[in-house]
Amino acid sequence: MVLGDDRPAGPDPGRTVRAEVIRQLLLGACEPREGYVPAVRLTGAYIIGRLDVSGGTVEHELRLEHCRLVEQPDFSNARTRQLRLSDCRMPGFDGGGLHADGYLSLSRSVIDGEVRLPRAQLMGGLRMMRTVITETDPAKWAVFSGGMVVEVGAFIRDAQITGGMRLVGARMNGGLFMEGTALRNPGRLALDAQNMIVEDTAEFSKGFTALGTVRLRSARVNGILSFSKAVLDSGDPGRMALHASHLHADELILWPQRRIEGRVSLSYSRIGLIMDDPSIWPDELYLNGLVYDSLRGGTFRDRLNWVNRDKQFHLQPYEQLAAWYHGIGHDDLARKVQLAKLRTRRRHLANPIGKAWGYLLDWTVGYGYRPWLAFGWFAVLVTLGTAVFSADKPQPIKPPDERPDYHAFVYTLDLLIPIDTFGQQQAFDPSGWSRWVAYALVATGWILATALIAGVTRVLRPS
C-alpha cells in the first residue's frame, strides 16, 4: 500500500498520520494484492503517536521520507524486511534486537535522542549517510549498540554524531566506512568499539573527526584500519585520543591531518604494516608489547624518538624495532637501537652504582656494540705511556743478563695488558711521578679488559 504519492518538501502538520495506522499496515492489516509488492511508503507526513512494532514480524518494506515522527519509533526485537527512514526527524530510534533481512537506513535524518541497536542483525547493511544525531544526556549514547552484526557494510559517512558512539562487540562483515563523520564527546568516549571485528576495511579517514577518545581495544580489522586525513583530539591532554591496545590489524594508516591531541596506546597489538608520520605523534605513546612486520614513514632518528615517547621504560619496543631493522638487513641500525635501549635503561636506574657501571661500559666499549672504542682508548693510552716512559725511563731491577732490552712502547703495552706478556714490567720499575702513570695504566688496562669482556658477553648472550 502506498500513502502520499506526491512528494512535498518536508513534514506538514496538515498531513497527519497516526502511527497506529502504520503499525497495523506493517503487521498485515491489509491483504496483499496479486502483482504488487507490499510496502508502506510515506513522504512528508507528520506522524503522531508511537510507531511500535516491537517483537513483531513485518513482511512489508517501510519507507519514510521527509517525515516528522513525534515519538521515538520502536522496532526492538522485531523481524523486518527493508527499513528506510531517510530525511526524517525523530526523538530517537529503538532497534535493540532488530533482525532486518534488508538494510536499515537513517540517512540524512535528524535524530534528537539515542539510536539503540544492541544485538541488532542487519543483513542488508547499515546506512547513516549525513545523519545528525544529538544526545545531550551524559548517561546515554548518541548511538548505542553491543553485539551488533552488519552484513554488506556499515556506511556512516559525513554524519554528525554528538554524545558518543558505542559499537562494542560489533561485527562488520562488509567493512565500516566513516569518512567525513564527526563524533563529538570531548573529555569522554567519542567511539567505544572494543572487541569489534571488521572484515575488509575500517575507514576513519578523509575528514573523520573524533573529539573524545576513540577506543579500539581488542578490536580486529582483517584489512586496513585507516586514520588518513582524520582529526583525533581527546579534548583533554591527560586522556587517550586513540586507545588501540591488543588490536589486530593487517595494516594501520595513522596519518591524520594534524598532530594527535592526547595520548595513543598500541600496547600488545599485532599489526602487519604501520604507516605513520613523526609530525603527528603525541608526546605520550604506549608501545610496550606492540608487534609489527613492517614500518613506513620517518627516519631512523624518528623511530628512536618514537620508542622513547613511552614515559615508562620497557625493553620490548626497542627489541622489536631492532629486530625489524635486522630483518630488513640494517644490522648497523639494529645495533644502534640496542645501544639506545641500554642508555635509556641507564637513565631510569635508581642505583647510582649501576648507573656508574653503565656509563663506564658506554664510554669504553659502547655496551659491547662499539668495541672499537676500547681500541681507541688503548691507542691513546699507549701513545701517552710511550711518551712518558721515553722521557722518564724506569730503573732496571734485574741484572743485565736477565732482562730484555728496554723499549718505552713495549713497556707501556706490558702495563696495559693485564697479563705479563713481554717481561718488561718485571724487569723495570719507574720512579717518581712516572710511577703514578704506571699505576694508572695498569688500572686502566684492567678496566678496559673487564668492560670489553662484559660488553661482548652482553652482545653475544642469546635472547
Side-chain angles (χ1 to χ4, degrees), residues 72 90-93 111-115 133-136 141-143:
Q72 173 183 284
M90 64 193 84
F93 179 89
I111 303 173
D112 301 308
E114 188 175 42
V115 174
I133 305 173
T134 305
E135 176 54 74
T136 57
W141 296 80
V143 178

Side-chain angles (χ1 to χ4, degrees), residues 191-442:
L191 173 65
D192 188 0
Q194 294 188 84
N195 300 299
M196 178 178 67
I197 299 175
V198 180
E199 300 291 343
D200 191 14
T201 300
E203 287 282 357
F204 302 96
S205 57
K206 298 179 182 177
F208 172 85
T209 300
L211 300 181
T213 300
V214 174
R215 184 157 67 183
L216 298 173
R217 191 178 188 276
S218 299
R220 179 182 292 272
V221 180
N222 297 320
I224 300 173
L225 171 59
S226 176
F227 290 94
S228 175
K229 299 182 180 179
V231 174
L232 297 175
D233 186 344
S234 67
D236 180 351
R239 288 184 59 88
M240 288 283 184
L242 176 61
H243 187 181
S245 65
H246 302 84
L247 169 76
H248 284 66
D250 293 341
E251 183 175 336
L252 170 62
I253 302 175
L254 191 57
W255 213 307
Q257 291 182 16
R258 54 180 171 84
R259 186 174 183 267
I260 298 172
E261 300 295 333
R263 296 176 292 167
V264 172
S265 175
L266 296 174
S267 299
Y268 303 103
S269 294
R270 300 186 67 89
I271 302 171
L273 169 64
I274 298 177
M275 295 181 63
D276 58 359
D277 184 81
S279 64
I280 60 89
W281 296 337
D283 291 333
E284 282 192 65
L285 285 166
Y286 298 91
L287 303 175
N288 186 36
L290 171 64
V291 177
Y292 45 84
D293 297 329
S294 187
L295 296 172
R296 294 289 184 274
T299 64
F300 171 73
R301 290 185 179 275
D302 292 328
R303 286 302 167 191
L304 276 186
N305 178 269
W306 185 56
V307 296
N308 275 327
R309 293 192 177 216
D310 197 329
K311 301 303 181 184
Q312 296 181 344
F313 173 72
H314 299 283
L315 295 173
Q316 191 274 339
Y318 294 89
E319 297 287 354
Q320 171 64 37
L321 184 60
W324 179 66
Y325 277 120
H326 177 72
I328 62 174
H330 290 289
D331 292 345
D332 56 331
L333 299 182
R335 287 192 293 270
K336 289 181 179 179
V337 173
Q338 295 284 11
L339 181 57
K341 174 192 70 176
L342 295 170
R343 287 173 173 171
T344 306
R345 179 177 177 271
R346 183 183 68 216
R347 289 197 297 269
H348 287 81
L349 288 176
N351 186 348
I353 297 177
K355 276 193 173 184
W357 178 243
Y359 278 113
L360 179 62
L361 286 177
D362 194 1
W363 292 339
T364 54
V365 292
Y367 284 99
Y369 292 102
R370 292 181 172 180
W372 53 266
L373 284 175
F375 296 102
W377 282 108
F378 193 82
V380 170
L381 293 171
V382 167
T383 303
L384 175 64
T386 301
V388 168
F389 296 116
S390 294
D392 187 5
K393 295 180 181 180
Q395 301 297 319
I397 56 176
K398 286 186 177 183
D401 58 340
E402 295 182 11
R403 66 175 182 261
D405 294 336
Y406 173 75
H407 295 282
F409 173 74
V410 177
Y411 181 71
T412 303
L413 287 178
D414 228 359
L415 292 175
L416 281 171
I417 298 174
I419 59 176
D420 184 16
T421 305
F422 304 105
Q424 297 271 320
Q425 186 179 357
Q426 301 299 324
F428 300 93
D429 187 27
S431 61
W433 64 273
S434 63
R435 173 171 290 183
W436 293 104
V437 175
Y439 292 158
L441 289 175
V442 171

Side-chain angles (χ1 to χ4, degrees), residues 96-115:
L98 169 68
H99 188 294
D101 293 332
Y103 64 77
L104 169 63
S105 175
L106 299 173
S107 293
R108 299 179 303 281
S109 289
V110 177
I111 303 173
D112 301 308
E114 188 175 42
V115 174

